[in-house]
Amino acid sequence: NAGVTQTPKFQVLKTGQSMTLQCAQDMNHEYMSWYRQDPGMGLRLIHYSVGAGITDQGEVPNGYNVSRSTTEDFPLRLLSAAPSQTSVYFCATRGGKDTQYFGPGTRLTVL
Amino acid sequence: DQQVKQNSPSLSVQEGRISILNCDYTNSMFDYFLWYKKYPAEGPTFLISISSIKDKNEDGRFTVFLNKSAKHLSLHIVPSQPGDSAVYFCAASDKSNTGKLIFGQGTTLQVKP
């Protein structure tokens, strides 16, 4: 089992460019989420999904879109990247009572 | 408004001694608390958790204590080992069962040989 996989590992964008961060899981978990980690801020929830076809906003959703067409995949889209979106992004799935399993992360730099 | 706070950005302890990491929260609706450990260039990994109906949970060298009246929890690592050097995040979820976790800022633990 690969668990939670994220691609790419690193990405550099110019302001205004768009891109999609990919997240896939093979644990058949219904719940998936995206977090960003910034220095001194901990991990902040961007969007989450409780199952295919259902998504909702977290703490910091502005500038990001998500969709969930399958149980396995939960991509995060940046439509027009801004320097404030420079961060490390983690995808996670939920197993038992609130125990979440995180992917290895994507380090994004927006110039 | 930071609902979960880890006020110590860093902690340094000697190998074999006890490490105590602290976390405070403000939301009385939180009913489940977790600690995650994170190494550089890796995702956080689950370490230990505690329900609000308990005041202590132990797993090997790791013990989490919960003081609901003070809205405070702590993670004790005994004895500390150099491999424990990492960033530790506390997190909390509320009774709504949405699965959303609120994280603290993290504490970097360094265990010196």
Side-chain angles (χ1 to χ4, degrees), chain B residues 30-62:
Chain B
F30 288 150
D31 70 336
Y32 199 74
F33 303 89
L34 307 92
W35 284 93
Y36 282 83
K37 176 179 178 180
K38 185 184 179 303
Y39 292 118
E42 294 183 11
T45 55
F46 170 73
L47 191 57
I48 192 169
S49 62
I50 187 167
S51 165
S52 60
I53 63 172
K54 296 184 175 182
D55 54 18
K56 177 183 174 181
N57 188 28
E58 194 171 351
D59 184 2
R61 297 186 296 114
F62 302 91

Side-chain angles (χ1 to χ4, degrees), chain A residues 5-12 19-23 34 89 104-108:
Chain A
T5 58
Q6 291 183 240
T7 56
K9 283 188 169 49
F10 302 94
Q11 183 71 49
V12 179
M19 79 159 296
T20 299
L21 281 65
Q22 302 291 346
C23 175
W34 277 100
Y89 292 85
T106 294
R107 185 175 293 274
L108 176 67

Side-chain angles (χ1 to χ4, degrees), chain B residues 88-109:
Chain B
Y88 290 79
F89 292 100
C90 68
S93 66
D94 63 27
K95 297 180 176 69
S96 66
N97 199 33
T98 60
K100 291 190 289 185
L101 291 179
I102 305 298
F103 282 83
Q105 306 97 310
T107 297
T108 300
L109 172 66

Side-chain angles (χ1 to χ4, degrees), chain A residues 36-45 59-60 87, chain B residues 2 4 6 89 102-106:
Chain A
R36 59 178 288 174
Q37 184 195 1
D38 301 293
M41 302 291 287
L43 287 92
R44 292 180 293 169
L45 182 65
E59 300 173 73
V60 288
S87 187
Chain B
Q2 193 86 21
V4 178
Q6 294 176 255
F89 292 100
I102 305 298
F103 282 83
Q105 306 97 310

